[in-house]
Amino acid sequence: MATQIQYDRLGGPEVLQVASAPDPVAPHDGVVVAVRAAGVNPIDGKLRSGTRPSAPITEPRVPGSDAAGVVLSVGPGVTGWAPGDDVVVREARGAYTTHLVAPASHLVRKPAAVSWEEAAAIGVPAGTAHQALVSLGVGPGTTLLIHGGSGSVGRAAIQLARRMGATVVATASPANHDRLRELGATPVSYGPGLLDRLRDAAPDGFDRILDAIGTEEALETSFALVDDRSRIGTIVVGPRAAELGILAWAGGNPIPLTAEELRLRAEAYPLVLDLLAEGAFQVDVARTFPLVEAAEAARLVEGGHPGGKVVLTP
Protein backbone atom coordinates (compact mmCIF):
# COMPACT_ATOMS: atom_id res chain seq x y z
CA MET A 1 0.00 0.00 0.00
CA ALA A 2 1.07 3.54 -0.74
CA THR A 3 0.94 6.30 1.86
CA GLN A 4 -0.26 9.72 0.79
CA ILE A 5 -1.28 13.07 2.24
CA GLN A 6 -4.69 14.26 1.12
CA TYR A 7 -7.50 16.66 1.89
CA ASP A 8 -11.21 16.55 1.08
CA ARG A 9 -12.16 20.10 2.03
CA LEU A 10 -10.57 23.52 1.88
CA GLY A 11 -8.86 24.87 4.96
CA GLY A 12 -5.65 25.25 6.90
CA PRO A 13 -2.96 22.61 7.46
CA GLU A 14 -5.32 20.79 9.82
CA VAL A 15 -7.35 19.46 6.85
CA LEU A 16 -4.38 17.40 5.65
CA GLN A 17 -4.86 13.69 6.35
CA VAL A 18 -2.54 10.70 6.23
CA ALA A 19 -4.17 7.99 4.10
CA SER A 20 -3.38 4.65 2.49
CA ALA A 21 -3.99 3.90 -1.17
CA PRO A 22 -3.45 0.86 -3.41
CA ASP A 23 -0.06 0.72 -5.11
CA PRO A 24 -0.58 2.41 -8.49
CA VAL A 25 0.02 0.77 -11.87
CA ALA A 26 2.08 2.54 -14.50
CA PRO A 27 -0.10 3.86 -17.37
CA HIS A 28 0.79 3.15 -20.98
CA ASP A 29 2.96 6.25 -21.40
CA GLY A 30 3.88 6.77 -17.76
CA VAL A 31 5.83 5.46 -14.82
CA VAL A 32 5.47 4.85 -11.10
CA VAL A 33 8.12 6.55 -8.99
CA ALA A 34 9.06 5.65 -5.42
CA VAL A 35 9.26 9.15 -3.98
CA ARG A 36 12.39 9.86 -1.96
CA ALA A 37 11.64 13.55 -1.39
CA ALA A 38 8.86 16.03 -2.19
CA GLY A 39 9.12 19.80 -2.12
CA VAL A 40 6.65 21.91 -0.14
CA ASN A 41 5.76 25.12 -1.98
CA PRO A 42 3.62 28.11 -0.95
CA ILE A 43 1.24 27.36 -3.83
CA ASP A 44 0.34 24.06 -2.13
CA GLY A 45 -1.14 25.92 0.80
CA LYS A 46 -2.84 28.53 -1.36
CA LEU A 47 -4.66 25.85 -3.33
CA ARG A 48 -5.56 23.87 -0.21
CA SER A 49 -6.91 26.92 1.61
CA GLY A 50 -8.82 28.26 -1.39
CA THR A 51 -6.74 31.45 -1.54
CA ARG A 52 -5.87 30.38 -5.07
CA PRO A 53 -9.05 29.22 -6.86
CA SER A 54 -9.18 25.67 -8.16
CA ALA A 55 -11.81 23.20 -9.35
CA PRO A 56 -14.36 21.98 -6.80
CA ILE A 57 -13.15 19.07 -4.67
CA THR A 58 -15.07 15.96 -5.70
CA GLU A 59 -12.61 13.39 -4.32
CA PRO A 60 -9.63 13.52 -1.95
CA ARG A 61 -6.87 15.69 -3.38
CA VAL A 62 -3.14 15.02 -2.94
CA PRO A 63 -1.03 18.20 -2.98
CA GLY A 64 2.49 18.71 -4.26
CA SER A 65 4.15 19.38 -7.62
CA ASP A 66 7.86 18.73 -6.95
CA ALA A 67 9.25 15.23 -6.40
CA ALA A 68 12.37 13.14 -6.81
CA GLY A 69 12.69 9.38 -6.55
CA VAL A 70 13.41 6.04 -8.16
CA VAL A 71 11.44 4.58 -11.06
CA LEU A 72 9.59 1.47 -9.86
CA SER A 73 7.77 0.46 -13.03
CA VAL A 74 7.20 1.73 -16.56
CA GLY A 75 4.23 1.50 -18.90
CA PRO A 76 4.41 -0.51 -22.14
CA GLY A 77 4.69 2.63 -24.25
CA VAL A 78 7.66 4.09 -22.36
CA THR A 79 11.15 4.13 -23.83
CA GLY A 80 14.35 5.56 -22.39
CA TRP A 81 13.45 4.88 -18.77
CA ALA A 82 13.72 1.73 -16.67
CA PRO A 83 13.11 0.60 -13.10
CA GLY A 84 15.95 1.79 -10.88
CA ASP A 85 16.49 5.11 -12.66
CA ASP A 86 16.93 8.12 -10.34
CA VAL A 87 14.65 10.90 -11.54
CA VAL A 88 13.16 14.28 -10.82
CA VAL A 89 9.49 14.70 -11.71
CA ARG A 90 8.54 18.10 -13.08
CA GLU A 91 4.98 19.39 -12.78
CA ALA A 92 4.06 16.38 -10.66
CA ARG A 93 0.45 15.89 -9.66
CA GLY A 94 0.11 14.75 -6.08
CA ALA A 95 3.76 14.60 -4.97
CA TYR A 96 2.92 14.14 -1.27
CA THR A 97 2.97 10.36 -1.58
CA THR A 98 5.27 7.35 -1.46
CA HIS A 99 4.21 6.17 -4.95
CA LEU A 100 3.76 8.76 -7.67
CA VAL A 101 2.35 8.21 -11.16
CA ALA A 102 3.89 10.55 -13.73
CA PRO A 103 4.09 10.91 -17.51
CA ALA A 104 7.43 9.71 -18.83
CA SER A 105 7.75 13.06 -20.61
CA HIS A 106 7.91 14.79 -17.21
CA LEU A 107 10.98 12.91 -16.00
CA VAL A 108 14.43 14.43 -15.75
CA ARG A 109 17.46 12.34 -14.84
CA LYS A 110 18.88 13.12 -11.40
CA PRO A 111 22.68 13.43 -11.26
CA ALA A 112 24.29 11.24 -8.59
CA ALA A 113 25.96 14.28 -7.02
CA VAL A 114 22.58 15.91 -6.28
CA SER A 115 20.82 14.82 -3.09
CA TRP A 116 17.17 13.75 -3.06
CA GLU A 117 16.28 16.79 -0.96
CA GLU A 118 18.00 19.19 -3.34
CA ALA A 119 16.43 17.52 -6.36
CA ALA A 120 12.93 17.86 -4.91
CA ALA A 121 13.56 21.47 -3.90
CA ILE A 122 14.47 23.01 -7.26
CA GLY A 123 11.33 22.59 -9.35
CA VAL A 124 8.85 25.39 -8.77
CA PRO A 125 11.45 27.94 -7.57
CA ALA A 126 14.02 27.37 -10.32
CA GLY A 127 11.44 26.90 -13.07
CA THR A 128 9.63 30.08 -12.10
CA ALA A 129 12.84 32.08 -11.73
CA HIS A 130 14.36 30.96 -15.03
CA GLN A 131 11.20 31.59 -17.01
CA ALA A 132 10.58 35.00 -15.44
CA LEU A 133 14.14 36.18 -16.02
CA VAL A 134 14.16 35.11 -19.67
CA SER A 135 10.69 36.56 -20.25
CA LEU A 136 11.82 39.86 -18.72
CA GLY A 137 14.84 39.97 -21.02
CA VAL A 138 17.50 39.81 -18.29
CA GLY A 139 20.98 39.48 -19.77
CA PRO A 140 24.53 40.82 -19.73
CA GLY A 141 24.69 44.37 -18.43
CA THR A 142 21.19 44.29 -16.93
CA THR A 143 20.69 45.78 -13.48
CA LEU A 144 17.92 43.73 -11.89
CA LEU A 145 15.91 44.39 -8.73
CA ILE A 146 14.29 41.40 -7.04
CA HIS A 147 11.65 42.12 -4.43
CA GLY A 148 11.65 39.24 -1.95
CA GLY A 149 15.15 37.94 -2.59
CA SER A 150 15.26 35.62 0.42
CA GLY A 151 12.40 33.37 -0.74
CA SER A 152 13.11 30.22 -2.71
CA VAL A 153 12.24 31.85 -6.04
CA GLY A 154 14.27 34.91 -5.11
CA ARG A 155 17.36 32.87 -4.20
CA ALA A 156 17.14 30.93 -7.44
CA ALA A 157 16.61 34.12 -9.44
CA ILE A 158 19.66 35.79 -7.92
CA GLN A 159 21.92 32.93 -8.94
CA LEU A 160 20.46 32.50 -12.42
CA ALA A 161 20.50 36.25 -13.12
CA ARG A 162 24.15 36.46 -12.07
CA ARG A 163 24.93 33.63 -14.50
CA MET A 164 23.14 35.64 -17.20
CA GLY A 165 25.53 38.52 -16.57
CA ALA A 166 23.19 40.76 -14.58
CA THR A 167 23.92 42.91 -11.56
CA VAL A 168 21.37 42.04 -8.87
CA VAL A 169 19.92 44.05 -5.99
CA ALA A 170 17.46 42.17 -3.76
CA THR A 171 15.18 43.28 -0.94
CA ALA A 172 15.10 41.18 2.22
CA SER A 173 15.04 41.42 5.99
CA PRO A 174 18.46 42.08 7.57
CA ALA A 175 18.70 38.51 8.89
CA ASN A 176 19.00 37.29 5.29
CA HIS A 177 21.47 39.86 3.99
CA ASP A 178 24.63 37.80 4.49
CA ARG A 179 23.16 34.87 2.58
CA LEU A 180 22.05 37.05 -0.32
CA ARG A 181 25.54 38.54 -0.55
CA GLU A 182 26.94 35.00 -0.74
CA LEU A 183 24.58 34.26 -3.63
CA GLY A 184 25.72 37.36 -5.50
CA ALA A 185 23.18 40.10 -4.73
CA THR A 186 23.40 43.46 -3.02
CA PRO A 187 20.80 43.23 -0.22
CA VAL A 188 18.54 46.12 0.77
CA SER A 189 16.16 46.14 3.75
CA TYR A 190 12.40 46.54 3.48
CA GLY A 191 10.57 49.34 5.23
CA PRO A 192 10.46 53.15 5.37
CA GLY A 193 13.10 54.74 3.17
CA LEU A 194 13.24 51.75 0.79
CA LEU A 195 13.13 53.87 -2.36
CA ASP A 196 16.14 55.94 -1.30
CA ARG A 197 18.09 52.85 -0.29
CA LEU A 198 17.41 51.23 -3.65
CA ARG A 199 18.53 54.33 -5.53
CA ASP A 200 21.71 54.35 -3.46
CA ALA A 201 22.30 50.67 -4.27
CA ALA A 202 21.95 51.27 -8.02
CA PRO A 203 22.85 54.92 -8.80
CA ASP A 204 22.47 54.31 -12.55
CA GLY A 205 18.97 52.88 -12.09
CA PHE A 206 17.33 49.53 -12.76
CA ASP A 207 16.62 47.93 -16.12
CA ARG A 208 14.27 45.17 -14.93
CA ILE A 209 12.32 44.36 -11.77
CA LEU A 210 11.02 40.98 -10.60
CA ASP A 211 8.41 41.09 -7.83
CA ALA A 212 8.40 37.92 -5.75
CA ILE A 213 6.64 39.34 -2.69
CA GLY A 214 3.62 41.33 -3.87
CA THR A 215 3.48 44.06 -1.22
CA GLU A 216 2.22 47.56 -1.97
CA GLU A 217 5.67 48.82 -0.96
CA ALA A 218 7.27 46.61 -3.62
CA LEU A 219 4.85 47.77 -6.31
CA GLU A 220 5.07 51.46 -5.46
CA THR A 221 8.87 51.50 -5.41
CA SER A 222 8.94 49.56 -8.68
CA PHE A 223 6.77 52.18 -10.40
CA ALA A 224 8.99 54.95 -9.04
CA LEU A 225 12.16 53.24 -10.32
CA VAL A 226 11.10 52.10 -13.80
CA ASP A 227 8.99 54.17 -16.18
CA ASP A 228 8.27 51.36 -18.65
CA ARG A 229 6.04 48.98 -16.73
CA SER A 230 6.58 46.22 -19.30
CA ARG A 231 10.00 45.83 -17.68
CA ILE A 232 8.37 44.88 -14.37
CA GLY A 233 7.21 41.31 -13.80
CA THR A 234 5.43 39.66 -10.88
CA ILE A 235 4.84 36.09 -9.77
CA VAL A 236 2.49 37.12 -6.96
CA VAL A 237 -0.15 39.69 -7.94
CA GLY A 238 -1.27 38.16 -11.23
CA PRO A 239 -4.95 39.17 -11.06
CA ARG A 240 -3.98 42.86 -10.85
CA ALA A 241 -1.29 42.74 -13.53
CA ALA A 242 -3.40 44.01 -16.43
CA GLU A 243 -4.74 46.86 -14.31
CA LEU A 244 -1.21 47.78 -13.21
CA GLY A 245 0.30 47.39 -16.68
CA ILE A 246 2.98 44.92 -15.60
CA LEU A 247 3.87 41.41 -16.73
CA ALA A 248 2.70 38.46 -14.67
CA TRP A 249 3.26 34.72 -14.60
CA ALA A 250 1.16 32.48 -12.37
CA GLY A 251 0.44 34.19 -9.05
CA GLY A 252 -3.26 33.83 -9.74
CA ASN A 253 -2.89 35.38 -13.17
CA PRO A 254 -6.07 34.56 -15.14
CA ILE A 255 -3.98 34.37 -18.32
CA PRO A 256 -2.37 30.92 -18.53
CA LEU A 257 1.31 30.47 -19.23
CA THR A 258 2.15 30.39 -22.92
CA ALA A 259 3.73 27.38 -24.59
CA GLU A 260 7.05 29.25 -24.61
CA GLU A 261 6.81 30.06 -20.90
CA LEU A 262 6.04 26.41 -20.12
CA ARG A 263 9.03 25.38 -22.25
CA LEU A 264 11.29 27.72 -20.29
CA ARG A 265 10.10 26.29 -16.98
CA ALA A 266 10.80 22.76 -18.19
CA GLU A 267 14.21 23.88 -19.49
CA ALA A 268 15.21 24.97 -15.99
CA TYR A 269 15.23 21.43 -14.55
CA PRO A 270 18.19 19.92 -16.43
CA LEU A 271 19.96 23.29 -16.39
CA VAL A 272 19.82 23.68 -12.62
CA LEU A 273 20.40 19.99 -11.87
CA ASP A 274 23.63 20.13 -13.90
CA LEU A 275 24.69 23.32 -12.12
CA LEU A 276 23.96 21.70 -8.75
CA ALA A 277 26.03 18.68 -9.68
CA GLU A 278 28.92 20.98 -10.67
CA GLY A 279 28.67 22.96 -7.43
CA ALA A 280 27.71 26.06 -9.40
CA PHE A 281 24.22 26.47 -7.91
CA GLN A 282 22.99 26.23 -4.33
CA VAL A 283 19.69 25.16 -2.82
CA ASP A 284 19.04 26.04 0.80
CA VAL A 285 17.02 23.21 2.35
CA ALA A 286 15.81 24.68 5.63
CA ARG A 287 14.23 21.55 7.06
CA THR A 288 12.94 18.11 6.20
CA PHE A 289 9.84 16.49 7.67
CA PRO A 290 8.57 12.92 7.47
CA LEU A 291 5.73 12.66 4.96
CA VAL A 292 3.26 11.92 7.76
CA GLU A 293 4.11 15.31 9.32
CA ALA A 294 3.09 17.24 6.21
CA ALA A 295 0.73 19.44 8.23
CA GLU A 296 3.64 20.66 10.38
CA ALA A 297 5.69 21.31 7.25
CA ALA A 298 2.81 23.33 5.81
CA ARG A 299 2.55 25.41 8.98
CA LEU A 300 6.24 26.26 8.76
CA VAL A 301 6.03 27.30 5.11
CA GLU A 302 2.81 29.26 5.55
CA GLY A 303 4.19 30.99 8.64
CA GLY A 304 6.63 32.77 6.34
CA HIS A 305 10.42 32.87 6.01
CA PRO A 306 11.39 29.26 6.80
CA GLY A 307 14.95 30.10 5.71
CA GLY A 308 14.93 27.97 2.57
CA LYS A 309 13.03 25.07 1.12
CA VAL A 310 11.00 22.64 3.21
CA VAL A 311 11.03 19.04 2.01
CA LEU A 312 9.06 15.89 2.87
CA THR A 313 10.72 12.48 2.95
CA PRO A 314 9.13 9.01 3.34
Side-chain angles (χ1 to χ4, degrees):
M1 295 290 284
T3 299
Q4 63 187 33
I5 304 301
Q6 63 186 41
Y7 59 96
D8 55 15
R9 67 187 191 281
L10 298 179
E14 70 279 356
V15 305
L16 294 172
Q17 309 161 355
V18 180
S20 296
D23 289 345
V25 176
H28 178 80
D29 57 352
V31 303
V32 175
V33 175
V35 176
R36 296 289 183 262
V40 180
N41 292 295
I43 185 62
D44 303 343
K46 292 176 182 178
L47 290 169
R48 187 206 63 240
S49 67
T51 303
R52 182 71 56 80
S54 62
I57 298 175
T58 57
E59 58 184 16
R61 185 171 295 173
V62 179
S65 55
D66 287 336
V70 180
V71 175
L72 282 177
S73 60
V74 302
V78 173
T79 58
W81 299 102
D85 286 343
D86 293 347
V87 299
V88 178
V89 183
R90 63 177 181 83
E91 300 171 35
R93 294 197 173 186
Y96 291 18
T97 183
T98 56
H99 295 66
L100 175 65
V101 175
S105 59
H106 284 211
L107 301 183
V108 181
R109 204 167 299 277
K110 184 189 81 68
V114 177
S115 72
W116 293 117
E117 292 81 5
E118 290 172 326
I122 67 165
V124 167
T128 302
H130 176 68
Q131 174 265 305
L133 294 173
V134 175
S135 296
L136 270 174
V138 173
T142 301
T143 300
L144 170 70
L145 169 60
I146 300 173
H147 287 294
S150 63
S152 294
V153 173
R155 295 184 192 211
I158 290 169
Q159 297 176 80
L160 293 173
R162 293 290 293 144
R163 290 188 61 82
M164 292 173 174
T167 298
V168 181
V169 176
T171 62
S173 61
N176 293 302
H177 283 194
D178 286 346
R179 183 55 178 147
L180 298 195
R181 287 190 190 94
E182 292 171 355
L183 296 177
T186 298
V188 173
S189 296
Y190 305 121
L194 174 61
L195 181 58
D196 290 337
R197 290 192 295 276
L198 289 172
R199 285 176 169 153
D200 288 342
D204 294 330
F206 293 95
D207 302 300
R208 303 289 190 276
I209 298 177
L210 175 59
D211 167 40
I213 194 168
T215 62
E216 289 304 313
E217 177 187 58
L219 294 171
E220 289 170 6
T221 54
S222 296
F223 301 151
L225 291 167
V226 173
D227 292 332
D228 182 357
R229 294 194 180 186
S230 69
R231 294 190 282 128
I232 302 170
T234 183
I235 61 168
V236 188
V237 293
R240 297 174 57 195
E243 165 196 340
L244 297 171
I246 62 178
L247 302 176
W249 309 282
N253 186 17
I255 302 173
L257 293 170
T258 66
E260 174 64 7
E261 289 163 353
L262 290 171
R263 185 193 68 77
L264 289 170
R265 293 196 175 203
E267 178 181 88
Y269 285 75
L271 168 68
V272 173
L273 284 167
D274 286 346
L275 291 173
L276 272 169
E278 296 166 7
F281 189 93
Q282 299 176 45
V283 174
D284 296 323
V285 177
R287 189 169 170 187
T288 62
F289 287 83
L291 178 64
V292 295
E293 295 180 14
E296 288 305 311
R299 289 187 181 94
L300 178 59
V301 171
E302 291 162 39
H305 303 295
K309 283 290 296 187
V310 174
V311 175
L312 302 173
T313 56

